Amino acid sequence: MSTTTQAPASEATDQDAFLARLREFVGLEATPTRYAQDAVNQAMIRHFVEAMGDENPVYVDDRAARDTGREGVVAPPPMLSTWLMVGYKAHTAAAAGAAPDTPMARLLALLADAGFVGVVATNDEHEYVRELRLGDEIKMTTVIEDVSPRKTTGLGTGHFITTLRTYTDQNDEVVARQRFRILRFDPSGAKPAAPAAADPALRHKPFILRDNAFWFAAAAQRRLVIQACTDCGTLRHPPGPICPSCHSYAWHEVEASGRGTVHSYVVSHHPKAPGYDYPLTVVLVDLEEGTRLVADFAGDAGEVEIGMPVQVDWLDYDENLTLPRFRAATSASEPTEEEGN
Amino acid sequence: MSTQITIEQVSPGDTLPELEIPLTRTVIVAGALATRDYEDVHHDPAQAQRRGTPDTYMSINHTNGLVGRYVTDWAGPAARMVRLSTRLGVPNFPGDVMRLTGEVVGVEEDTVRVAVRGMNSKGGHVVSEVTVRLPRGSEQ
């Protein structure tokens, strides 16, 4: 999901004050150390593997587990957090407002009062120090590691909360660590047509070859460049080895202003490629410098028209790839922030 | 279950067989309950809509369980999972199908890193990386 922070100046002070209150929770233990209600046991493992359709015998068959060098049946590692869930009784009590007074409960109440009632988990990292065996008694400590500034996502605006959980056994040995990130969002601002923003990391990647590598390397630094013939000065795009005007092999790059106008555009509804939000608006932009390029339009399809002034914006596909897109030009540049999650 | 593979048999670029998971309303609830997750967004459509999604959707612990299963189905029972990292995109809603694909992206000593993707009809649901330790051929 890509997210953008765009706060009008008048609201910025309120948002800063609110964020400062949220940030007071960073570093605190979210909840007291939580003890598993039950030791690691076969019945709960069986429920889990049946729901997952997991036929791995080491989770249910003692002999099969021993045949692989284990001491007996083990729990599926991704089942980690299941052992520490509070259970139906405590969950319903908390949902009815009778949550124990903990820093996490206070943080969530603060967010709920501000309208951030939606919840979705976005990232989860597990490190398994050892597999859990039948009879293990697990406990968990949770620290609030980060609360993000307000972000606008496909689900609505909200704040990401990152917690770091450490799981230990009956001998106080660490068995696993988990970094868990959720989004608490305000669903009233969500666009109904876009239940969730697509993840640009899923898009097909461009072919980067020796002739065009400079252009992508500049884009990775959020610089829009154009290839220029060193002999006759003609600009060209897409990049190529030879000047189409004078056939010279000598070239250098020049920095583009990032401003241009829409020469043409298409709005694609079908077929849907992974990683894009639909309807997908693709623009052909005449850059001020004279070359053209094809890029995504960052905005609603209804907003775009031929001849409209646009300016470059940037989209991070993943940690290695950033590509330009264009949005309607504004007189003053607005702060934008991209974050993959 | 596949038979056991060994570290020597694996190379970066190897692909895992695809797996399709039908996302019935029942399996979405079963996965939530098996992970003791009683959040209403995983079983109550009206509450899910009130909270800003068009329907109930699969929980992250359920997705993690499926991703883990997908990798160990391929890696075999002697494989030991040491790391799992998941990033969620569009939710898995009832009535859809999730297609899991995987590729070996790294082999280091006795561990293998597998990149897993889960797609549904709306786009990418999950991008995960799972690290498993595999036995050596001499240990078989």
Side-chain angles (χ1 to χ4, degrees), chain A residues 37 52-54 56 70 81-82 85 88 91 117 119 121-126 128 185 187 199 201-202 274 341, chain B residues 1 34-36 38 51-52 57 61-62 64 66 69 77 79-80 82-88 117 119 124:
Chain A
Q37 286 181 309
M52 301 303 152
D54 195 331
N56 192 336
R70 292 169 168 97
S81 59
T82 301
M85 297 299 270
Y88 179 68
H91 175 85
V117 293
V119 58
T122 59
N123 300 68
D124 196 6
E125 288 173 28
H126 297 187
Y128 308 115
F185 63 95
D199 180 356
L202 297 172
N341 70 76
Chain B
M1 289 303 301
T35 55
R36 309 192 81 211
Y38 301 102
R51 290 178 183 273
Y57 56 90
N61 289 327
H62 190 171
N64 279 339
L66 291 172
R69 167 206 157 180
R80 305 216 183 176
V82 293
R83 192 172 170 276
L84 179 150
S85 173
T86 282
R87 190 160 69 125
L88 290 189
R117 281 183 175 192
M119 308 290 297

Side-chain angles (χ1 to χ4, degrees), chain A residues 32-73:
Chain A
T33 299
R34 189 187 291 174
Y35 294 81
Q37 286 181 309
D38 293 287
V40 173
N41 65 84
Q42 188 66 77
M44 283 171 61
I45 292 173
R46 194 179 307 281
H47 283 302
F48 183 92
V49 296
E50 285 191 354
M52 301 303 152
D54 195 331
E55 303 283 337
N56 192 336
V58 302
Y59 303 142
V60 290
D61 180 338
D62 185 73
R63 171 168 288 183
R66 289 177 189 277
D67 284 349
T68 62
R70 292 169 168 97
E71 292 171 29
V73 161

